[in-house]
Amino acid sequence: MGKPLYSKDFDLTKSIQINLNGRDIETDSNVSLISVLKQAGINLPTACYHPDLSAPASCRLCLVEVEGNDHDIPACKLHLQPGLSIKTNTPRLETERRHNLSLLVAHLPADWGGNLTEFGQWLEQYDIEVNNAPLRYVRDVDPHPSISVDMNKCILCTRCVRACEEVQGRFVWGVADRSDGSHIVAGFETDMLNARCESCGACAAYCPTGALSDRKIIATRDITKRVTTTCPYCGVGCNFDLLVDTNNAVYVDSNPNAPVNGMHLCVKGRYGIDFVNHADRLTTPKVRQYLLENKTRNGSDRGAWIDVSWDEAIKIVSERFSKTLLDSSGDRCAVMSSAKCTNEENYLMQKFARQVLGTHNIDHCARLCHSSTVAGLKAALGSGAMTNTMQDITENANALFVIGSNTTEQHPVFGSMLRHAVNYRSVPLIVADPRAIELTESATLHLRHKPGTDIALVNGLMHIMLKEGWHDSKFIQSRTEGFDEVIKVIERYSPNHAAKITGVTIAELEQAAELLATNSPMAVIWAMGITQHTCGINNVLALANLQLMLGNLGIAGGGVNPLRGQNNVQGACDMGALPNVFPGYQSVADPQLKNKFATAWALDNQPCFISETPGATVTEMVDGAGDGKFECLYILGENALMTDPNLNHVRKSMAAADFVVLQEIFPSETSEYADVLLPGASFAEKDGTYTNTERRIQRIREAISSPGDACPDWWVTSAIAKQILKSTKRVPTGNFASWDYANASSILDEIAAVTPSYAGVSFTRLDKGDQLHWPVPSVEHPGTPILHIDQCTHGKGIFHAVDHTPPAEECDDEFPLVLTTGRVIYHWHGTSMTRRAETLQSLCSQSEVEISAHDASAVGIAEGDSIRVISRRGEMLAKAWITERVSPGLIFGNFHFPDEANINNVTNDALDPKAKIPEYKVCAVRVESG
């Protein structure tokens, strides 16, 4: 007997010939017939089938005739074999399809309203009328804020069940009862949220009938435009379509061709975009009244806001900056760029600082999240970025080590991809996290180490691997240096020693070491649980050591993979919005590179002044604004009054700041301390590029017009730069000195000209679909999905011997608990956008602190009570969530809510001495009933 027609055990590369409706065609054997039919322009009706999901072949709509078989076979399950003769549209098949469609609509009510759905289109094509069936279920019974549930429209295709299981990895939906009583249920006949729905909307996106649907898209039928763009939230870089209606509002729809995510989105990407239309949007420039009256500000009292024209606002800003330049120097100015903004806008911000102001005082929020990653990986490998792609990791890694990353909440789509690798490839997953985060439910092993003991944990694992001979001697010898010094250190981290420091048992250390070392390739994944420590760089170096020792670099399925937190934090770093590097990480301390940029940005036929001394960091800018070091502060899209540690100190410093210009889309908490407020455009209102966590450069596209007089940030910065140059009587003469940009595309062309790693990147290539991961050194280059294949960026990988160091602040009798901080799935960063997204705010409307039952009972706190968290720096108030997610002695809080609800009122502003990143992840606190 030959291979069965339904077999999945077949040659994935074999090219075969089949006969399709009397025509011989050549195709691959690794695809289903239905895929071949679509490529041939033959669209058979389907209900249960979707190319992203497993095929149950239950709807029987895509049946085909196969010569030699006595029964019809579903095209979605047919395994292609050489010589098959297939017919798809015989009169008998068409009659059978009409009959099957009639069976599927038997329970649909006449007012089902699904004419525009995928299933409704098939009914129209086959002229099938919907019966006037009585309602069997209560309509819209589920209280979910964004997903409408009407099971009267359900045809039991089970796409929702499979989408939740196979795409999201969540298992919310199932089928209850049997026969005619079968129906789709959430959990055990409960609502979606109580069934632990993560609100990704995959079920609604895949539903063909509208039984599950997006409430907002239902509310409008007047869609006039569809624009493909990139999500403005985390660093995963999902693409989706913005649907624009006649009122210029936008809605989100999945785009199956999205390169990173396909149809998949998280709750923020799918249901968190309505901030664009919020009434709080800034629509006109504003300045404080004292500036219009040419008066001196009354201390920290900045006075009332007055609306002005762009000309007036730019004049006021340029005069203040010009005065500082003429009276002292550009080093009395500081510029904060933004990971929320495009590559083009970040490039101009650093060019503004260096060419117009003559200072390297340019930084952005990467200082607070991954500056230790950039510094650590630069030292170890020569490049401070993620080495492998997310798809490569989830498809090719044979073991996964996630440490310091709450992936399913902070990078939800990638988190679901990791769950898929576990569920469908049985990949061992080791999660190291002090909290029992959701991802631990999918883990083979959860290493619940004490906060701040990451180095001891990694060194302990390496000790066991080395002892067992699991290291890659050939790789170490040929591609690395410095291993002998590392051996001397890790020899001290015996299982017993590592266990005492970390709190992880010896048995767990040994099991983890074996799983990670013997299932090659293994990928290491981390986020801010590794970086936000006073030893953040050394934490990163420890992980680089691990992968160098195991030979897991430069290969598919391996690598060191820091997950960047914001949509364009990778790109902002790439663009040189850092105090020590020009675009493309070209060092400001290198005389040749300094001269390169000074010549490119020349003024008055002379190289512009550029120092070789790095500038101030974000944390130093805040301090300097308060103590008078900086006279002028230009902030683009950053909200220090939400995201910086020790907010009482930040408030004091910003209140004392002399002159602050804030460019934003909303009046953020930081705007209270600004003197000029400039309205920028949201991601939906401008063109540009973002670079995601895996170094993939992607387009954002203008879908709607900005409200009022709001303008793209690149235009605003250019206008200010031109006015300051005019006021200071300097003329741009270098090849790339001008500020007369026609559009964002022309700015990217300039970036490509001065940045080797972006040399082959352009709107033209991106718009025609080229998938480009930097480095892209030429217009012919296809990009570099995996780094360090033949050698590391700076040659050999360099080991660094690193030792455990305790956190800057430890517990005592007055402050007996450890606080660690982070994000929640429904909010993002400083929440200026997510708190203005209706669904997200309804799903998470107040700050919560996670606390163990043991610690809560010790101070008389019950579930839902107000809880006050107090440190040496301040206090905050939230709602208590009593949970096993945290162990006794540990609490967790987020920074998503303002004023007294912000956990950053209490966090520690102690810094990594080199990266200058604060230690958000460990500080000593006590709790009281609020």
Side-chain angles (χ1 to χ4, degrees):
M1 293 180 61
K3 291 182 179 179
L5 292 176
Y6 291 82
S7 171
K8 291 185 178 180
D9 180 23
F10 49 79
D11 185 350
L12 297 181
T13 59
K14 186 178 179 182
S15 179
I16 61 172
Q17 190 173 73
I18 63 172
N19 185 277
L20 183 60
N21 293 330
R23 181 164 60 97
D24 290 335
I25 66 169
E26 190 169 295
T27 186
D28 293 331
S29 62
N30 66 328
V31 295
S32 65
L33 172 62
I34 200 163
S35 302
V36 175
L37 295 179
K38 288 184 180 297
Q39 292 173 5
I42 301 171
N43 291 315
L44 300 184
T46 57
C48 65
Y49 171 78
H50 192 281
D52 295 349
L53 308 175
S54 59
S58 58
C59 72
R60 318 303 286 177
L61 294 178
C62 65
L63 293 173
V64 297
E65 295 179 2
V66 179
E67 187 176 292
N69 278 270
D70 56 4
H71 62 279
D72 300 330
I73 298 175
C76 60
K77 295 288 279 189
L78 178 58
H79 162 52
L80 297 180
Q81 295 180 7
L84 287 181
S85 179
I86 301 165
K87 294 181 179 179
T88 64
N89 293 100
T90 66
R92 187 184 64 79
L93 287 173
E94 289 293 282
T95 299
E96 189 165 353
R97 288 184 188 125
R98 286 180 50 81
H99 173 71
N100 289 338
L101 281 168
S102 298
L103 293 176
L104 289 172
V105 303
H107 291 299
L108 293 182
D111 63 345
W112 77 300
N115 295 337
L116 297 179
T117 65
E118 177 187 341
F119 186 64
Q121 297 298 306
W122 289 121
L123 297 183
E124 182 178 358
Q125 180 172 323
Y126 279 84
D127 196 25
I128 303 296
E129 293 187 5
V130 174
N131 299 327
N132 190 15
L135 298 182
R136 298 190 296 166
Y137 309 101
V138 178
R139 279 181 160 161
D140 205 15
V141 67
D142 198 289
H144 195 282
S146 283
I147 300 173
S148 174
V149 180
D150 184 356
M151 288 305 170
N152 295 289
K153 302 177 182 180
C154 179
I155 59 173
L156 285 175
C157 69
T158 71
R159 279 199 203 173
C160 59
V161 177
R162 287 173 285 133
C164 190
E165 176 183 338
E166 298 170 15
V167 177
Q168 185 67 7
R170 204 58 186 154
F171 307 96
V172 169
W173 295 106
V175 181
D177 293 338
R178 297 182 180 182
S179 188
D180 195 49
S182 298
H183 61 285
I184 300 294
V185 295
F188 292 100
E189 301 273 8
T190 185
D191 61 72
M192 294 171 65
L193 294 177
N194 280 314
R196 303 185 69 206
C197 170
E198 291 177 331
S199 302
C200 71
C203 56
Y206 284 93
C207 177
T209 68
L212 299 168
S213 54
D214 185 336
R215 294 185 189 278
K216 292 185 178 179
I217 295 182
I218 290 173
T220 177
R221 297 296 185 188
D222 299 322
I223 302 300
T224 60
K225 183 164 55 172
R226 179 183 289 265
V227 177
T228 300
T229 192
T230 303
C231 181
Y233 286 119
C234 81
V236 171
C238 295
N239 283 187
F240 50 61
D241 287 348
L242 287 178
L243 308 184
V244 182
D245 72 8
T246 52
N247 296 315
N248 220 31
V250 294
Y251 311 90
V252 170
D253 195 19
S254 292
N255 184 326
N257 299 315
V260 174
N261 57 297
M263 292 276 289
H264 195 193
L265 292 167
C266 79
V267 61
K268 292 186 287 291
R270 194 180 300 279
Y271 300 123
I273 303 303
D274 49 327
F275 72 85
V276 168
N277 307 313
H278 199 278
D280 286 350
R281 284 290 302 274
L282 295 173
T283 60
T284 187
K286 300 175 185 292
V287 301
R288 299 292 186 178
Q289 186 171 350
Y290 82 89
L291 291 170
L292 294 176
E293 297 173 349
N294 293 316
K295 293 181 179 179
T296 302
R297 195 176 76 209
N298 182 21
S300 61
D301 181 8
R302 286 177 155 80
W305 284 115
I306 305 296
D307 291 351
V308 297
S309 67
W310 272 111
D311 286 346
E312 183 72 14
I314 290 170
K315 178 176 178 289
I316 289 171
V317 172
S318 65
E319 284 178 351
R320 290 299 296 266
F321 274 86
S322 297
K323 184 177 186 303
T324 297
L325 288 176
L326 296 172
D327 290 350
S328 52
S329 78
D331 284 333
R332 296 274 282 159
C333 303
V335 178
M336 291 188 194
S337 199
S338 177
K340 301 181 188 73
C341 294
T342 65
N343 286 324
E344 294 73 23
E345 289 160 344
N346 278 283
Y347 172 81
L348 292 191
M349 286 293 280
Q350 64 82 37
K351 178 180 174 181
F352 172 82
R354 292 179 166 120
Q355 182 213 43
V356 178
L357 302 181
T359 182
H360 291 304
N361 293 335
I362 170 75
D363 205 5
H364 73 291
C365 69
R367 183 64 46 198
L368 309 177
C369 59
H370 273 286
S371 56
S372 42
T373 287
V374 174
L377 291 185
K378 176 79 173 176
L381 309 175
S383 173
M386 187 171 177
T387 58
N388 294 55
T389 69
M390 290 174 282
Q391 181 178 357
D392 169 65
I393 291 166
T394 52
E395 291 183 356
N396 297 311
N398 287 326
L400 299 165
F401 185 25
V402 177
I403 178 169
S405 166
N406 184 6
T407 323
T408 55
E409 292 198 64
Q410 297 188 359
H411 302 86
V413 168
F414 183 48
S416 292
M417 293 167 69
L418 295 178
R419 288 194 293 221
H420 190 278
V422 173
N423 293 339
Y424 294 94
R425 290 204 300 116
S426 301
V427 177
L429 168 64
I430 312 301
V431 176
D433 199 291
R435 301 163 61 220
I437 57 174
E438 189 281 333
L439 189 61
T440 62
E441 296 177 15
S442 301
T444 310
L445 181 63
H446 175 202
L447 304 177
R448 200 163 189 166
H449 62 308
K450 298 174 184 176
T453 64
D454 303 281
I455 294 171
L457 176 64
V458 176
N459 281 355
L461 294 173
M462 292 176 66
H463 177 102
I464 296 168
M465 294 170 182
L466 185 63
K467 179 181 177 182
E468 296 294 334
W470 292 329
H471 55 296
D472 189 333
S473 299
K474 182 178 179 181
F475 184 93
I476 293 169
Q477 182 176 3
S478 63
R479 291 198 50 182
T480 74
E481 58 186 55
F483 187 50
D484 289 343
E485 294 303 311
V486 170
I487 291 176
K488 295 176 184 177
V489 172
I490 64 174
E491 281 180 342
R492 301 199 304 268
Y493 286 84
S494 67
N496 185 59
H497 183 55
K500 286 181 178 178
I501 297 173
T502 64
V504 177
T505 68
I506 293 173
E508 289 171 333
L509 289 168
E510 291 174 342
Q511 182 185 2
E514 183 172 4
L515 286 170
L516 296 174
T518 62
N519 290 283
S520 181
M522 180 268 289
V524 170
I525 299 157
W526 73 85
M528 285 168 278
I530 281 292
T531 61
Q532 289 179 333
H533 294 271
T534 50
C535 57
I537 290 178
N538 285 350
N539 285 349
V540 172
L541 290 171
L543 293 172
N545 289 342
L546 174 66
Q547 292 298 70
L548 287 170
M549 188 179 87
L550 295 177
N552 280 322
L553 283 167
I555 58 174
V560 287
N561 301 287
L563 302 180
R564 307 308 291 264
Q566 297 201 48
N567 55 309
N568 199 37
V569 69
Q570 181 64 60
C573 292
D574 298 345
M575 293 301 103
L578 296 168
N580 62 327
V581 290
F582 294 111
Y585 306 96
Q586 300 173 84
S587 174
V588 302
D590 185 317
Q592 288 186 324
L593 294 173
K594 186 203 79 166
N595 290 334
K596 166 187 169 179
F597 283 94
T599 301
W601 298 332
L603 301 171
D604 300 324
N605 294 310
Q606 296 291 328
C608 64
F609 171 76
I610 297 179
S611 169
E612 294 179 15
T613 302
T617 64
V618 161
T619 45
E620 292 167 335
M621 290 177 189
V622 171
D623 292 342
D627 63 21
K629 179 178 180 180
F630 301 121
E631 292 182 6
C632 298
L633 195 59
Y634 180 15
I635 303 174
L636 171 62
E638 291 297 307
N639 194 1
L641 272 297
M642 286 288 291
T643 59
D644 281 24
N646 190 4
L647 285 180
N648 285 327
H649 169 71
V650 177
R651 294 182 185 105
K652 182 178 178 181
S653 294
M654 293 300 292
D658 185 45
F659 183 68
V660 178
V661 178
L662 177 62
Q663 199 165 303
E664 256 289 5
I665 62 173
F666 292 113
S668 67
E669 288 69 23
T670 301
S671 68
E672 297 177 25
Y673 300 86
D675 300 276
V676 176
L677 192 53
L678 304 176
S682 79
F683 85 108
E685 299 150 10
K686 59 188 176 185
D687 291 311
T689 58
Y690 294 154
T691 303
N692 78 344
T693 190
E694 61 184 8
R695 298 170 287 105
R696 184 192 296 266
I697 305 153
Q698 301 186 104
R699 285 274 276 117
I700 66 165
R701 297 176 175 87
E702 180 181 347
I704 59 175
S705 300
S706 296
D709 293 328
C711 290
D713 295 298
W714 66 263
W715 180 90
V716 178
T717 304
S718 298
I720 294 172
K722 286 188 283 188
Q723 187 61 42
I724 293 175
L725 289 175
K726 181 179 179 181
S727 298
T728 54
K729 299 180 180 180
R730 293 175 292 166
V731 178
T733 54
N735 289 338
F736 303 106
S738 172
W739 288 86
D740 292 322
Y741 298 103
N743 47 42
S745 177
S746 63
I747 303 171
L748 183 58
D749 291 342
E750 181 174 321
I751 293 168
V754 299
T755 312
S757 56
Y758 277 67
V761 182
S762 66
F763 271 34
T764 300
R765 291 192 68 183
L766 295 173
D767 285 341
K768 75 176 184 180
D770 286 4
Q771 301 302 313
L772 302 177
H773 302 76
W774 66 257
V776 190
S778 69
V779 293
E780 298 83 15
H781 196 278
T784 312
I786 300 177
L787 294 178
H788 315 308
I789 289 179
D790 296 317
Q791 64 175 22
C792 294
T793 302
H794 61 192
K796 288 191 173 184
I798 301 174
F799 281 99
H800 293 78
V802 291
D803 248 321
H804 166 71
T805 53
E809 184 175 80
E810 297 189 276
C811 297
D812 56 22
D813 291 342
E814 185 180 5
F815 300 101
L817 303 178
V818 173
L819 166 71
T820 191
T821 69
R823 300 174 180 168
V824 301
I825 189 171
Y826 298 116
H827 283 294
W828 182 73
H829 207 55
T831 64
S832 60
M833 299 189 302
T834 54
R835 277 186 285 125
R836 292 177 172 91
E838 183 180 356
T839 292
L840 303 181
Q841 186 67 0
S842 67
L843 290 168
C844 181
S845 60
Q846 61 181 309
S847 183
E848 290 185 323
V849 166
E850 297 176 15
I851 186 170
S852 70
H854 174 273
D855 293 330
S857 64
V859 291
I861 292 175
E863 176 70 24
D865 283 355
S866 291
I867 181 173
R868 189 174 301 277
V869 181
I870 305 166
S871 76
R872 295 178 175 89
R873 290 155 295 280
E875 60 183 62
M876 64 86 65
L877 192 67
K879 186 174 79 169
W881 176 13
I882 298 176
T883 174
E884 294 181 353
R885 285 164 65 95
V886 290
S887 303
L890 176 68
I891 68 170
F892 170 85
N894 69 72
F895 58 95
H896 299 313
F897 296 89
D899 304 323
E900 67 176 1
N902 195 319
I903 201 68
N904 280 328
N905 286 312
V906 304
T907 47
N908 194 355
D909 52 1
L911 304 177
D912 179 295
K914 183 176 180 181
K916 303 296 177 66
I917 189 170
E919 189 155 62
Y920 290 95
K921 291 299 186 253
V922 189
C923 78
V925 298
R926 70 174 185 268
V927 297
E928 298 174 355
S929 175

